Amino acid sequence: MDLADRLAKERRARLAAERLLEHKSRELFVANEKLALHARALSDQIVEQRQVVKSALSEAEALKGQNSRFLTDLERAHTAAVMAERRLWDSINTIRDGFAVFDAGNRLVAANRAYLAAFDTDAIAPGIGYDAILRLAAETGLVDIGNQSPDAWCAAMLARWDSDQIEPIVLQFSNGTWVRLVDHRARDGDMVSLALNITDQMRIWAAIEAIPDGFVLFDREDRLMTCNQRYRDLYPESSAAMTPGASFESILRYGLAHGQYADALDREEAWLEDRLRLRETKSVDFEQELAGGHWLRVIDQETPDGGRVGLRVDITQAREQQAALEAARAAAEAAVRAKSAFLANMSHEIRTPMNGVVGMAELLCDSPLSEEQRLFAETIRSSGEALLVIINDILDYSKIEAERLTLHPEPFDLERVIHEVTMLLQPRARARGVDLIIDFDMFLPTRYVGDPGRLRQVLTNLIGNAVKFTDVGHVLVRVVGIEAGPGAQQLHITVEDTGIGIAPENLDHIFGEFNQVDTATNRKFEGTGLGLAISRRLIERMGGAVWVDSELGRGSCFGFRLSLPVAEDDGDHPATVTLNRALVVDDQFINRTILERQLATCGMRSVLCRSGAEALAVLAQDRDFDVILTDHDMPDMDGLSFASHLAEAGNVTPILLLSSSPATAREAPGAEHLAGFLQKPLLRADLYRRLQDLSPPPQPPVVALPPAAPDQPRRALRVLAAEDNRTNQLVFRKMVKDLDLELTFASNGREAVTLFRSLRPDLIFMDISMPEMDGRDAARAIRQLETDGDHVPIVALTAHALEGDAESILAAGIDRYLTKPLRKSVICEALSEFTPADVRPVQRGEAALPQSGAA
Ligand code: ADP
């Protein structure tokens, strides 16, 4: 071989190799192609699978998370449940009420502390049977089982659990606790037992049960909620209807059907209607009569929640007592009336002879007597008068007590009444040198409408006491007032003295009946101790009030307040005074200032001096006075010697002397220098009149004089006096013996009527209490006999001081009545008042006709 072969061989070989390579390359390419496709598919698959795995992985991850969360939740829930149960038990343990759960076999499953505490033993624990618990409670005396045996009680308690509807039951524990057992069987057979502590409620209930009155409570639908046993007992006929929940109306209806209400008899429906209407008011309080004579006080009140609470009080006994009291009071009043009647009669019996005693003594005093005889006669008279005062006091008091005193209001002059009273007391005051002063507010009206007689009585008592208990100084009556509505004045009247005074501890006491201050200084004074009691009652009857201020040893001030209507002006106008200046001389400061004020009201100016000497000194300088007013009784130089001094000094100014006894002053030396006398205490009207007299006279008006009456011969006054008592006839006769009149006596009413026919008297004095026909009947008979236009004045004489007399006397046609004992002055006054124009006036007749007498 050669090289070409070899080379050709090699080339062929190379070419073959090249072709093979190419083939192989192609095959490889295809394979590669395939592989590439496959690889792509595979890689896609792998990617896909990877994706799946990835998502599976993340799902697994998520599940894992969820799972662990679930596990923690579960754990937490478990802990919470445990906690909740613990809390629940903690709470259940804190309540005061007992709580226990038993299983279907009545074995204790669980109980709270309160339940277990009631037994105070470890024996009560889960697993113990209910029967064992009951036995323990009964046998250890833990629960009050009444008079049942422990066995019976346990059996009853167990049986209770077997019933379908287990009713609550109340148990009392030995430690005073009250428990209400409320048991309930659950569907799974468990028993839930509640032991409610109702001790507080039971205490209140026990209290309500303990009250002696009926107690009841209704709800807002007016259904009975509860009532105590007392309530049931008070309504025995209705009590059967008093079940909780029953309506008020149904209880009433039941009661009506069973005759419970006495006041509903035969008018049941109307009664029910009335009662239900009453029910609509917020509160009622009335008395109710029940069957069997029982009486209840019914008090009902709405409660805040719209229900009603009621109380029933048994007032049967109280009413019986009241009835008894009323009967007793009626009896007492009858006794008081009887007493008053007795007193009236006694008064008559006592006054009639007293009339004789006092009247005869008065006449005796007027006759010529030896000194000693005069003393005796005066004593008889004054004792008699004192006795009459006491009788009058007692009578007045019994009148007020018997409420038989009526007031007789009429227009009167208050200032004049006070003046009259002080005038009467003046002699007593003067005898002691005590000054009696009136200070009547000059801007105050003087005329009022009231009972002047009774006011006089009060003033006499107060001023009389003031004079009685004052040895030195003064007694001042002061009247001031303020307007109290239209036409009325609220008057303040005080009586002030400088006497012995009253200790504070006696101030209340003295207004009582028969009460006097019992001390050594006081014992020497006489009196009944009734005066102030009467005065107070009188003022109270007039709607006023009395008071007193006093200081022991310094003096007292008694006062009263009274509202009185002002009386119409009676035309009695104050005098016109035209004087300008006055010189006032008085040692008493009060008198000086009162006078100054009184003079100022009539336009006068005053210069005040406290003694004669001071006044003389003033007058030496200044003589320009229109009038000089001087007090009589002054130390050093009295009023009379002051007047004498003035006269010596050539005084021409008129002097007026103010004296408590002008009569004495008139007779005394020095009186000749005086222009006039004024009675103390001074009445304003007197003062003004006197000043007016001194005023220069105004031009006299021209007045036509009436034609002179033809001088007819006039006859004497014919007087008929009806009086059964011989002594009184004698007294009367003696009292009028000096008067120019014709006197005839009748000794009873019938005789008086007969004599009236025959005598035709000008005036009749008629005793009221006479045998056969009394004064009233006689007066009535006389009035019937009178023809038209005739009217004989009849003056009744009465010893009766009891009220009702005045009315009945005047109703009988009597014109006037005088109370015994008779006074000469009063009889004379009546005689001159009733003397007709054609009859000789009843002065002392020089040639009095012989007096005839039928008795
Ligand atoms: P009587 O004066 O009749 O005893 P009263 O009822 O009038 O009865 O008075 C009762 C008592 O009050 C008097 O006894 C006296 O103790 C006391 N009394 C009254 N007024 C005064 C007075 N002005 N000063 C001192 N005591 C008085």
Side-chain angles (χ1 to χ4, degrees):
M1 265 276 163
D2 70 13
L3 206 25
D5 274 331
R6 257 182 25 211
L7 278 175
K9 226 180 159 188
E10 262 184 65
R11 210 181 81 205
R12 270 185 321 260
R14 201 182 64 217
L15 277 175
E18 268 178 17
R19 270 189 315 268
L20 188 69
L21 185 66
E22 197 187 284
H23 180 73
K24 282 292 170 190
S25 265
R26 230 180 282 133
E27 263 187 10
L28 189 67
F29 179 76
V30 172
N32 249 352
E33 267 307 83
K34 273 190 186 161
L35 195 68
L37 271 178
H38 195 76
R40 204 177 301 138
L42 200 66
S43 108
D44 281 352
Q45 231 173 343
I46 286 171
V47 166
E48 215 169 88
Q49 266 172 11
R50 217 189 252 161
Q51 210 70 39
V52 170
V53 167
K54 208 172 171 188
S55 69
L57 266 176
S58 67
E59 245 167 64
E61 204 59 39
L63 270 177
K64 193 176 141 200
Q66 250 175 18
N67 213 9
S68 85
R69 268 204 305 282
F70 176 71
L71 277 177
T72 32
D73 280 355
L74 204 65
E75 225 161 82
R76 258 196 227 130
H78 176 72
T79 333
V82 170
M83 293 273 290
E85 192 184 338
R86 193 177 308 141
R87 253 190 230 132
L88 184 68
W89 274 103
D90 281 350
S91 308
I92 290 174
N93 276 333
T94 56
I95 55 174
R96 286 173 66 229
D97 302 318
F99 170 81
V101 185
F102 294 82
D103 64 14
N106 291 352
R107 300 206 163 272
L108 182 66
V109 177
N112 73 348
R113 229 173 267 149
Y115 194 97
L116 298 175
F119 300 95
D120 195 22
T121 161
D122 293 339
I124 309 294
I128 186 170
Y130 186 52
D131 53 347
I133 297 178
L134 290 173
R135 190 152 299 283
L136 188 112
E139 284 174 355
T140 56
L142 198 62
V143 172
D144 180 7
I145 57 171
N147 35 26
Q148 294 183 74
S149 70
D151 283 345
W153 183 78
C154 291
M157 289 295 284
L158 279 174
R160 179 174 160 270
W161 266 20
D162 287 337
S163 55
D164 292 339
Q165 185 80 39
I166 308 174
E167 287 299 329
I169 187 170
V170 174
L171 301 179
Q172 188 184 11
F173 280 67
S174 56
N175 62 359
T177 313
W178 288 84
V179 163
R180 181 197 297 277
L181 282 186
V182 182
D183 302 309
H184 179 74
R185 180 81 66 190
R187 231 177 272 151
D188 58 3
D190 277 2
M191 178 68 90
V192 178
S193 183
L194 274 179
L196 303 172
N197 187 329
I198 54 165
T199 312
D200 289 348
Q201 207 179 320
M202 289 306 282
R203 276 201 196 116
I204 291 174
W205 188 243
I208 289 173
E209 277 294 345
I211 53 171
D213 303 321
F215 171 89
V216 68
L217 187 62
F218 285 88
D219 65 10
R220 53 189 309 156
E221 265 79 50
D222 221 5
R223 298 190 174 278
L224 180 68
M225 289 176 74
T226 187
C227 66
N228 64 2
Q229 188 53 40
R230 179 70 178 141
Y231 184 83
R232 292 170 201 280
D233 294 346
L234 287 173
Y235 293 103
E237 318 301 340
S238 329
S239 67
M242 293 172 186
T243 49
S247 75
F248 177 64
E249 187 179 336
S250 71
I251 299 173
L252 287 186
R253 282 191 184 282
Y254 187 91
L256 283 173
H258 291 80
Q260 176 66 84
Y261 308 100
D263 57 341
L265 263 180
D266 299 332
R267 51 180 290 270
E268 281 74 8
E269 274 310 310
W271 184 94
L272 187 74
E273 220 172 275
D274 290 349
R275 185 68 188 90
L276 290 176
R277 197 170 317 115
L278 253 185
R279 192 76 172 163
E280 284 158 23
T281 46
K282 262 190 175 319
S283 67
V284 294
D285 187 341
F286 63 92
E287 292 183 358
Q288 186 177 55
E289 192 187 355
L290 301 182
H294 285 282
W295 278 87
L296 291 189
R297 180 164 167 213
V298 176
I299 307 165
D300 279 344
Q301 177 82 40
E302 202 177 274
T303 59
D305 66 348
R308 281 185 92 81
V309 63
L311 260 192
R312 301 291 181 271
V313 185
D314 189 344
I315 52 165
T316 315
Q317 217 180 352
R319 280 184 71 101
E320 278 164 10
Q321 273 166 357
Q322 188 164 341
L325 273 178
E326 249 147 46
R329 196 178 71 180
E333 277 171 359
V336 167
R337 277 195 297 279
K339 188 181 79 181
S340 320
F342 168 75
L343 278 170
N345 293 334
M346 279 300 287
S347 101
H348 179 72
E349 297 303 324
I350 298 170
R351 274 157 180 265
T352 306
M354 280 308 292
N355 193 31
V357 173
V358 175
M360 280 303 204
E362 197 178 321
L363 290 170
L364 196 58
C365 290
D366 280 352
S367 62
L369 293 175
S370 74
E371 190 110 333
E372 200 181 26
Q373 285 168 331
R374 180 166 307 282
L375 178 70
F376 293 166
E378 288 282 358
T379 312
I380 295 172
R381 197 187 57 158
S382 59
S383 308
E385 279 174 353
L387 187 53
L388 277 166
V389 169
I390 296 173
I391 294 170
N392 284 346
D393 267 5
I394 294 177
L395 266 168
D396 263 345
Y397 195 76
S398 57
K399 255 191 281 177
I400 296 173
E401 208 182 31
E403 290 179 356
R404 287 176 65 177
L405 181 125
T406 39
L407 298 170
H408 298 286
E410 58 178 74
F412 72 102
D413 189 318
L414 177 63
E415 191 180 7
R416 194 166 287 281
V417 166
I418 295 175
H419 194 256
E420 282 163 9
V421 171
T422 44
M423 284 303 298
L424 282 174
L425 294 165
Q426 184 68 276
R428 266 214 241 155
R430 193 171 48 227
R432 298 196 194 167
V434 170
D435 239 334
L436 249 178
I437 311 160
I438 301 175
D439 179 12
F440 197 100
D441 183 353
M442 66 209 92
F443 298 109
L444 198 64
T446 62
R447 291 179 55 75
Y448 297 93
V449 179
D451 187 330
R454 291 301 174 187
L455 268 176
R456 190 176 281 121
Q457 189 177 352
V458 172
L459 287 163
T460 305
N461 176 238
L462 298 187
I463 306 174
N465 277 349
V467 171
K468 181 157 85 174
F469 294 108
T470 306
D471 279 335
V472 278
H474 67 257
V475 169
L476 168 65
V477 185
R478 181 167 271 152
V479 186
V480 291
I482 44 166
E483 205 156 320
Q489 288 278 339
Q490 166 97 338
L491 298 167
H492 272 244
I493 302 178
T494 51
V495 179
E496 175 194 301
D497 66 53
T498 52
I500 60 169
I502 304 162
E505 64 271 21
N506 289 322
L507 280 180
D508 287 338
H509 167 80
I510 53 165
F511 284 102
E513 294 79 38
F514 305 104
N515 283 351
Q516 295 173 310
V517 176
D518 191 18
T519 60
T521 40
N522 228 300
R523 220 159 286 144
K524 63 180 178 187
F525 301 104
E526 48 190 42
T528 53
L530 269 179
L532 286 176
I534 294 173
S535 296
R536 190 183 64 180
R537 299 271 196 122
L538 284 176
I539 293 296
E540 283 171 359
R541 277 297 310 277
M542 297 179 194
V546 184
W547 68 84
V548 59
D549 278 327
S550 187
E551 206 180 316
L552 199 60
R554 304 284 309 259
S556 314
C557 180
F558 283 81
F560 61 91
R561 186 175 44 237
L562 197 58
S563 207
L564 289 182
V566 178
E568 293 286 302
D569 197 351
D570 61 353
D572 189 9
H573 293 294
T576 40
V577 175
T578 55
L579 307 177
N580 290 320
R581 283 188 89 213
L583 180 73
V584 173
V585 193
D586 200 312
D587 57 320
Q588 292 272 350
F589 169 76
I590 304 174
N591 281 340
R592 286 196 301 274
T593 43
I594 294 175
L595 262 174
E596 185 187 21
R597 288 205 318 252
Q598 288 177 334
L599 291 168
T601 39
C602 50
M604 293 182 69
R605 282 168 296 127
S606 317
V607 172
L608 309 179
C609 298
R610 63 185 79 203
S611 67
E614 195 181 319
L616 288 172
V618 168
L619 283 166
Q621 305 289 321
D622 175 7
R623 292 192 162 238
D624 187 19
F625 290 102
D626 298 311
V627 66
I628 299 170
L629 291 155
T630 176
D631 185 28
H632 179 186
D633 191 21
M634 291 186 291
D636 301 332
M637 185 194 297
D638 73 5
L640 287 163
S641 37
F642 169 61
S644 305
H645 273 94
L646 281 180
E648 273 168 33
N651 169 65
V652 286
T653 313
I655 309 170
L656 295 176
L657 184 81
L658 284 79
S659 170
S660 48
S661 55
T664 331
R666 253 187 209 106
E667 311 290 320
E672 64 278 15
H673 307 302
L674 299 170
F677 300 84
L678 283 165
Q679 171 73 54
K680 272 175 72 178
L682 191 57
L683 190 63
R684 264 191 302 169
D686 280 354
L687 172 69
Y688 296 150
R689 204 169 303 120
R690 218 22 95 77
L691 293 173
Q692 191 186 24
D693 290 347
L694 293 175
S695 297
Q699 288 301 319
V702 187
V703 192
L705 286 173
D711 205 4
Q712 284 175 352
R714 289 197 270 176
R715 58 180 178 79
L717 184 74
R718 273 193 302 269
V719 175
L720 171 63
E723 166 66 71
D724 62 318
N725 185 290
R726 288 291 191 125
T727 316
N728 285 345
Q729 280 188 9
L730 187 58
V731 171
F732 194 92
R733 188 193 296 282
K734 293 285 182 194
M735 281 183 172
V736 299
K737 80 171 193 301
D738 292 339
L739 304 177
D740 181 12
L741 48 83
E742 253 179 71
L743 176 65
T744 310
F745 276 109
S747 47
N748 61 48
R750 199 172 307 288
E751 214 172 290
V753 179
T754 318
L755 280 168
F756 164 75
R757 280 215 198 91
S758 57
L759 273 177
R760 289 286 157 181
D762 299 307
L763 175 61
I764 303 175
F765 285 97
M766 181 79 79
D767 186 27
I768 289 299
S769 188
M770 287 185 293
E772 284 191 56
M773 181 190 255
D774 76 3
R776 287 187 193 83
D777 291 341
R780 252 182 240 116
I782 289 170
R783 291 288 175 241
Q784 291 207 326
L785 289 173
E786 281 174 338
T787 45
D788 279 350
D790 280 355
H791 182 92
V792 60
I794 304 180
V795 176
L797 307 176
T798 162
H800 270 267
L802 266 199
E803 201 47 58
D805 286 343
E807 283 81 9
S808 69
I809 286 171
L810 299 177
I814 288 168
D815 300 83
R816 166 82 55 90
Y817 70 94
L818 305 175
T819 312
K820 290 178 182 177
L822 293 179
R823 289 308 187 79
K824 212 163 157 178
S825 57
V826 178
I827 293 178
C828 290
E829 227 170 76
L831 283 168
S832 45
E833 184 183 340
F834 290 115
T835 301
D838 61 334
V839 168
R840 280 201 300 270
V842 280
Q843 301 136 346
R844 290 172 187 234
E846 265 113 62
L849 289 175
Q851 289 162 354
S852 58

